[in-house]
C-alpha cells in the first residue's frame, strides 16, 4: 500500500488528542474516558505501523474500536445524560477505527471460498453492530427520554423478559395469518395467471379488474375482512390474500410470455401440446418472474397482517401488541415487536431468495454473466 | 467445365429432365405467401416451384428479404402459404409436423438454459414419449455424431457458441427424422469455427443420408455444402435460379480453391446480381 497512514487513523488520532486536552481541562463527566481515549490512541498508532498488512491492521483497529466502545458504554452507567464532549470525541474516534477496520477488510482478496464467505459475513455484521453501538451510546450519553427512543439494551432486555408473549404473537401473526394468506394468495394468483394465459377472455377481462384490486387501500379492506371473517387470524389471512394475489398474477402473466419466439417455434416443430409447452418451456422460463413476486409478497404479507390486526383481533398478535402497548406508553415493547417483525421478515425473504437461487440457477442474474 | 445450363432466371425451374431420380421429399407448386402488415400485404414468397429429392443437400441463398427463411418455415409448417400447394413426403406440412417428419435447426442454438446438454437433446424424445433407456441410447449416439461426448452434464452457458450449435444439431437429429431443416445455423459463428462445422456437417450428412435444406447468405458455404443451390431474390421473394453442383461428394476444405468450385460460385453470384436490383 502506497499510503502508510490512513486518514481514518489520522482523524482518530487528532480527535483523541483533542479529547484528552478537553478531559484534562474539565474532566469527570463519565467513567472510563481515559482508558477509552488511551485505547483508541494506541490502536490508531499501532494500526498505522501495520498499514501494509491489512489483516493485522484490521485486527488492531477491531480491538481498539470495540474495546473503547465497551469502555465508554459501561462507563456511562450512572452518568446518563451527562456525557461531555470528550465522551463523543472518544466515541467518534472508536467509530473511525471501526471504519478503518472494515476498509482494510474490504481490500483483502480472499484466497478460498470459506474466507470469502467469512469476509462477506463479518463486514455487514461490524456495520450493523456499530449502528447499535452509536444508538446506545448517544441515547444514554445524551439522556434521550425513554418514550422518544429507548436504548437497544433496554429493547433487548424487554425481548428476553417478554419472550413468551412475543412467541405467542409471532405464532398468531406469522405462522397463522401470514403463512396461510401468503400461500393462498400466491397459489391463487398463479392459478389465475395460468388460466388468463390459457383463455383470452380472462386475459382481457381479469387483468384490468386485478389492476383495480391492487389499488384497493389495505386500510379500507382490513375492517371489511374483519366483518366477513371474524376477529381470528382468518380475517388477517384474507387481507394478506388480497395484497399478494395481484403481484403474483401480473408477474406470472409476464413470465409466461417471456419465452422467446425461437424456443416456442422449437416446441411447435416437435408438435408438442399446450401442457407440454407449459411445463417444459414456459413455466421454467417464467420462474425468475414468479420468484420476483414471491419476494415482493413475502414483505407485503407481513405488513398486511400487522396492519390488519389494528382493526380488531383477539388479545394476541404483533399488530395488536403494537397498537395496545403504544397506548400504555410501553415503547420498549413496541420496539421489541418491531425488531422481531424485522427478523421474521428478513428470514422469510432470505428463505425465498435461497430457494430462488436453487431453482433459477441458470438465469444470468444468478450465475453471473 | 461441366455446369449444367441454367433453366431460366425467371421462375418455375422444375423441368422433368432435372427432377431428382430419388423419390421427392418436398414438392412445391406455385407456392406463394403474403404477410398482412400495417402497410398492406407484403409478398414474401411468389410462384415458387421446387422439388427436393431424398438424400439431397439443398441450399437456399439470397439477400435478406428474399423469403429463404420463410420458405423453410413453410416447409416446417411454422408459416402457412396463401397460394399454391406444398407437400412433405406426400403429406401436408401440418401432417408432416404432427408426424415429426423433420428436425429444425435455428439461427441460434435455442437450448434451454435450465437443462443440461443431455436433457436438451432429450427434450424432443420426452415429448414423443420415448422410454428412459431409449432416450439414453439416442442421446449417446447423437452426441457422438456431433463430437460432444463428455459434455452431457454441462449446461449450455458453459459451452462455446460453436459447441452450443452442435448440441442443437444433435437435438434435431435425436429423433431420427429423415429431413433436416437448417436456418443459417452457423451465421453467428466466426469463420474458423464455421469452416470446421461445415466440414463436420458434410461428414454427418454422408453418414446419416438425410435430406438437408440449408438456408445461408454465404456463397462459399452454399457451394461447399450443396448438391443443389436455390438462388432467390426479394420483392417479391422468388426463385431466380437453381444450380446443380458438379462437385464430388467427397469434399475436403481446399476444394474451395478449385476452378470448378469457383465457377459454381461465380454462377451463384451472377444469379444473385441478376435477381437483385441495387437501385434502392
Amino acid at each position: 500500500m502506497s499510503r502508510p497512514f490512513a486518514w481514518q487513523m489520522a482523524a482518530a488520532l487528532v480527535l483523541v488528542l483533542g479529547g484528552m486536552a478537553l478531559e484534562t481541562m474539565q474532566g469527570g463527566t463519565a467513567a472510563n474516558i481515559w482508558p477509552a481515549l488511551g485505547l483508541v490512541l494506541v490502536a490508531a498508532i499501532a494500526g498505522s505501523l501495520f498499514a501494509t498488512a491489512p489483516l493485522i491492521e484490521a485486527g488492531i483497529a477491531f480491538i481498539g474500536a470495540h474495546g473503547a466502545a465497551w469502555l465508554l458504554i459501561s462507563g456511562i452507567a450512572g452518568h446518563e445524560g451527562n456525557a461531555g464532549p470528550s465522551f463523543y470525541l472518544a466515541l467518534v474516534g472508536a467509530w473511525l477505527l471501526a471504519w478503518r477496520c472494515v476498509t482494510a477488510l474490504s481490500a483483502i482478496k480472499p484466497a478460498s471460498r470459506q474466507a470469502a464467505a467469512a469476509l462477506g459475513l463479518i463486514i455487514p455484521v461490524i456495520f450493523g453492530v456499530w449502528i447499535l453501538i452509536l444508538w446506545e451510546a448517544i441515547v444514554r450519553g445524551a439522556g434521550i427520554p425513554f418514550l422518544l427512543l429507548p436504548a437497544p439494551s433496554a429493547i433487548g432486555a424487554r425481548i428476553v423478559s417478554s419472550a413468551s408473549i412475543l412467541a405467542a404473537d409471532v405464532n398468531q401473526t406469522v405462522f397463522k395469518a401470514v403463512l396461510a394468506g401468503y400461500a393462498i394468495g400466491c397459489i391463487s394468483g398463479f392459478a389465475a395467471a395460468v388460466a388468463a394465459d390459457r383463455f383470452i377472455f380472462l386475459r382481457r377481462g381479469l387483468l384490468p379488474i386485478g389492476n383495480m384490486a391492487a389499488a384497493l387501500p389495505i386500510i379500507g379492506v382490513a375492517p371489511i375482512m374483519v366483518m366477513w371473517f371474524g376477529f381470528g387470524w382468518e380475517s388477517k389471512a384474507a387481507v394478506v390474500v388480497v395484497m399478494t394475489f395481484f403481484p403474483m398474477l401480473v408477474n406470472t402473466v409476464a413470465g409466461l410470455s417471456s419465452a422467446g419466439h425461437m424456443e416456442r417455434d422449437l416446441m411447435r416443430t416437435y408438435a408438442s401440446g399446450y401442457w407440454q409447452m407449459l411445463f417444459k418451456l414456459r413455466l421454467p422460463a417464467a420462474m425468475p418472474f414468479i420468484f420476483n413476486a414471491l419476494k415482493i409478497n413475502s414483505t407485503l404479507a407481513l405488513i398486511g397482517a400487522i396492519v390488519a390486526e389494528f382493526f380488531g383481533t383477539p388479545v394476541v398478535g404483533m399488530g395488536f401488541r403494537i397498537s395496545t402497548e403504544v397506548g400504555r406508553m410501553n415503547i420498549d415493547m413496541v420496539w421489541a415487536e418491531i425488531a422481531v417483525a424485522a427478523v421474521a421478515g428478513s428470514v422469510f425473504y432470505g428463505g425465498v431468495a435461497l430457494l430462488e437461487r436453487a431453482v433459477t440457477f441458470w438465469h444470468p442474474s444468478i450465475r453471473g454473466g | 467445365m461441366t455446369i449444367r445450363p441454367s433453366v431460366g432466371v425467371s421462375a418455375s425451374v422444375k423441368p422433368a429432365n432435372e427432377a431428382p431420380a430419388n423419390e421427392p421429399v418436398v414438392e412445391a407448386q406455385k407456392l406463394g405467401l403474403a404477410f398482412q402488415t400495417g402497410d398492406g400485404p407484403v409478398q414474401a414468397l411468389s410462384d415458387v416451384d421446387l422439388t427436393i429429392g431424398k438424400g439431397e443437400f439443398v441450399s437456399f441463398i439470397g439477400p435478406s428479404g428474399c423469403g429463404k427463411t420463410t420458405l423453410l418455415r413453410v416447409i416446417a409448417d411454422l408459416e402457412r402459404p396463401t397460394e399454391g400447394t406444398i407437400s412433405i413426403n406426400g403429406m401436408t406440412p401440418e401432417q408432416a409436423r404432427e408426424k415429426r417428419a423433420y428436425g429444425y435447426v435455428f439461427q441460434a442454438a435455442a437450448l434451454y438454459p435450465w437443462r443440461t446438454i443431455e436433457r436438451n437433446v432429450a427434450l424432443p424424445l420426452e415429448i414423443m414419449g420415448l422410454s428412459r433407456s431409449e432416450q439414453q441410447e439416442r442421446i449417446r449416439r447423437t452426441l457422438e455424431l456431433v463430437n460432444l461426448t463428455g459434455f452431457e452434464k454441462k449446461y449450455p452457458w458453459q459451452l462455446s457458441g460453436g459447441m452450443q450449435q452442435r448440441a442443437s444439431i444433435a437435438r434435431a437429429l435425436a429423433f431420427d427424422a429423415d429431413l433436416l431443416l437448417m436456418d443459417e445455423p452457423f451465421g453467428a459463428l466466426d469463420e474458423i469455427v464455421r469452416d470446421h462445422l461445415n466440414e463436420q456437417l458434410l461428414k454427418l450428412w454422408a453418414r446419416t443420408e438425410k435430406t438437408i435444406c440449408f438456408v445461408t447468405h454465404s456463397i462459399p458455404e452454399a457451394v461447399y455444402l450443396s448438391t443443389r443451390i436455390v438462388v432467390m431474390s426479394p420483392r417479391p421473394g422468388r426463385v431466380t435460379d437453381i444450380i446443380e453442383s458438379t462437385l464430388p461428394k467427397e469434399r475436403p476444405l481446399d476444394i474451395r480453391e478449385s476452378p470448378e468450385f469457383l465457377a459454381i460460385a461465380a454462377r451463384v453470384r451472377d444469379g444473385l446480381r441478376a435477381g437483385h436490383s441495387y437501385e434502392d
Side-chain angles (χ1 to χ4, degrees):
Chain A
M1 207 171 282
S2 56
R3 281 184 317 169
F5 208 74
W7 72 265
Q8 291 98 333
M9 296 300 212
L13 215 56
V14 170
L15 289 174
V16 165
L17 290 174
M20 286 175 164
L22 278 174
E23 189 65 16
T24 326
M25 287 188 282
Q26 307 174 327
T29 53
N32 289 346
I33 293 289
W34 279 108
L37 286 169
L39 187 57
V40 174
L41 182 74
V42 170
I45 293 169
S48 299
L49 293 178
F50 289 98
T52 48
L55 203 59
I56 299 172
E57 188 191 13
I60 292 170
F62 182 88
I63 294 168
H66 296 88
W70 183 78
L71 285 169
L72 287 171
I73 288 172
S74 59
I76 200 73
H79 303 274
E80 272 90 353
N82 292 323
S86 54
F87 175 85
Y88 295 108
L89 288 173
L91 183 67
V92 173
W95 173 62
L96 284 167
L97 283 183
W99 184 342
R100 184 63 218 156
C101 170
V102 172
T103 312
L105 286 177
S106 302
I108 294 174
K109 290 184 185 64
S112 68
R113 284 176 66 95
Q114 288 90 340
L119 263 184
L121 198 67
I122 199 164
I123 292 172
V125 164
I126 293 177
F127 250 95
V129 164
W130 268 90
I131 292 175
L132 295 179
I133 288 174
L134 292 175
W135 179 354
E136 178 86 20
I138 292 171
V139 163
R140 290 176 61 186
I144 292 174
F146 186 78
L147 280 182
L148 232 47
L149 186 63
S153 57
I155 298 169
R158 187 69 197 216
I159 291 176
V160 172
S161 66
S162 306
S164 61
I165 296 174
L166 288 166
D169 290 346
V170 167
N171 184 42
Q172 170 78 10
T173 304
V174 176
F175 291 112
K176 288 180 182 165
V178 168
L179 285 189
Y182 181 78
I184 296 170
C186 289
I187 291 170
S188 56
F190 176 80
V194 172
D197 176 75
R198 184 85 177 92
F199 306 107
I200 189 142
F201 77 94
L202 271 180
R203 186 157 58 245
R204 298 263 166 80
L206 182 69
L207 285 185
I209 303 289
N211 231 322
M212 230 165 71
L216 288 178
I218 178 194
I219 302 290
V221 174
I224 309 265
M225 291 299 162
V226 172
M227 283 171 68
W228 286 359
F229 298 103
F231 284 102
W233 61 267
E234 293 86 351
S235 56
K236 285 65 189 180
V239 172
V240 174
V241 169
V242 171
M243 286 186 81
T244 55
F245 176 82
F246 185 72
M248 183 50 100
L249 174 69
V250 279
N251 272 288
T252 309
V253 166
L256 285 175
S257 58
S258 71
H261 286 288
M262 226 178 258
E263 285 78 3
R264 285 161 196 259
D265 279 347
L266 182 72
M267 292 302 264
R268 244 176 92 75
T269 68
Y270 301 147
S272 85
Y274 172 82
W275 295 106
Q276 284 175 323
M277 176 97 101
L278 186 67
F279 283 111
K280 292 193 188 298
L281 170 62
R282 299 175 64 214
L283 276 183
M287 278 303 160
F289 291 78
I290 292 171
F291 271 99
N292 234 351
L294 286 174
K295 288 197 290 189
I296 293 168
N297 282 347
S298 71
T299 50
L300 275 184
L302 200 60
I303 297 170
I306 289 175
V307 171
E309 285 181 357
F310 284 30
F311 297 92
T313 174
V315 290
V316 64
M318 302 173 84
F320 161 80
R321 195 76 55 204
I322 289 172
S323 62
T324 51
E325 297 297 326
V326 127
R328 292 181 186 164
M329 301 287 183
N330 287 333
I331 300 302
D332 54 345
M333 191 62 190
V334 175
W335 279 96
E337 289 283 359
I338 291 172
V340 170
V343 170
S346 304
V347 169
F348 195 3
Y349 185 92
V352 175
L354 275 181
L355 195 64
E356 178 186 31
R357 289 190 76 86
V359 172
T360 62
F361 64 92
W362 50 270
H363 195 260
S365 69
I366 287 177
R367 68 179 151 90
Chain B
M1 199 102 43
T2 52
I3 302 168
R4 291 194 205 173
S6 168
V7 187
V9 177
S10 59
S12 42
V13 191
K14 204 205 72 173
N17 61 343
E18 267 207 70
N22 306 332
E23 55 179 296
V25 175
V26 178
E27 275 186 296
Q29 273 134 28
K30 301 272 174 220
L31 194 69
L33 191 154
F35 286 116
Q36 297 301 327
T37 70
D39 309 328
V42 169
Q43 197 72 31
L45 281 177
S46 165
D47 210 19
V48 172
D49 288 313
L50 184 70
T51 303
I52 297 171
K54 191 165 167 44
E56 278 198 86
F57 195 129
V58 180
S59 285
F60 299 90
I61 190 167
S64 50
C66 72
K68 53 192 193 296
T69 294
T70 308
L71 180 54
L72 203 67
R73 289 174 64 84
V74 168
I75 296 172
D77 188 39
L78 295 173
E79 308 284 357
R80 296 278 159 87
T82 48
E83 297 155 54
T85 58
I86 181 165
S87 70
I88 317 293
N89 294 333
M91 297 174 282
T92 67
E94 186 174 7
Q95 288 166 331
R97 180 172 65 82
E98 299 285 339
K99 283 209 154 74
R100 284 108 180 191
Y102 63 85
Y104 200 106
V105 179
F106 292 87
Q107 291 176 6
L111 299 165
Y112 294 179
W114 51 86
R115 285 173 171 250
T116 58
I117 294 303
E118 65 173 357
R119 295 324 297 159
N120 266 292
V121 175
L123 178 69
L125 309 175
E126 282 174 22
I127 290 168
M128 291 164 203
L130 268 64
S131 72
R132 265 294 147 116
S133 55
E134 177 78 346
Q135 287 185 24
Q136 281 307 323
E137 170 57 26
R138 289 190 180 215
I139 291 165
R140 194 194 55 72
R141 192 157 27 114
T142 45
L143 283 180
E144 194 202 306
L145 216 51
V146 298
N147 286 338
L148 276 178
T149 308
F151 293 94
E152 292 88 351
K153 305 287 181 201
K154 292 272 188 228
Y155 284 95
W157 29 273
Q158 295 170 319
L159 266 52
S160 69
M163 288 167 100
Q164 289 183 21
Q165 198 52 279
R166 265 149 59 195
S168 92
I169 293 171
R171 184 179 57 187
L173 292 172
F175 52 101
D176 257 344
D178 288 330
L179 176 60
L180 195 56
L181 305 176
M182 307 179 85
D183 182 10
E184 295 188 38
F186 310 136
L189 305 176
D190 68 66
E191 204 160 333
I192 298 162
V193 176
R194 192 176 181 147
D195 279 354
H196 180 62
L197 290 182
N198 280 340
E199 213 178 357
Q200 286 193 325
L201 182 61
L202 271 188
K203 288 200 181 114
L204 194 138
W205 174 62
R207 271 174 78 180
T208 57
E209 298 181 324
K210 291 191 186 302
T211 312
I212 298 182
C213 296
F214 190 96
V215 167
T216 180
H217 52 225
S218 155
I219 296 173
E221 190 172 63
V223 177
Y224 177 68
L225 292 171
S226 318
T227 57
R228 268 203 301 168
I229 300 156
V230 177
V231 181
M232 300 180 73
S233 83
R235 283 180 293 273
R238 63 196 188 278
V239 174
T240 50
D241 196 4
I242 297 182
I243 300 161
E244 297 274 344
S245 175
T246 51
L247 295 174
K249 210 167 174 183
E250 189 73 27
R251 298 175 187 180
L253 272 175
D254 55 19
I255 203 169
R256 294 180 302 182
E257 275 94 57
S258 71
E260 205 175 353
F261 184 98
L262 296 174
I264 299 171
R267 200 177 139 198
V268 173
R269 192 168 289 115
D270 285 345
L272 287 172
R273 198 171 291 139
H276 189 50
S277 68
Y278 286 97
E279 60 214 23
D280 49 345

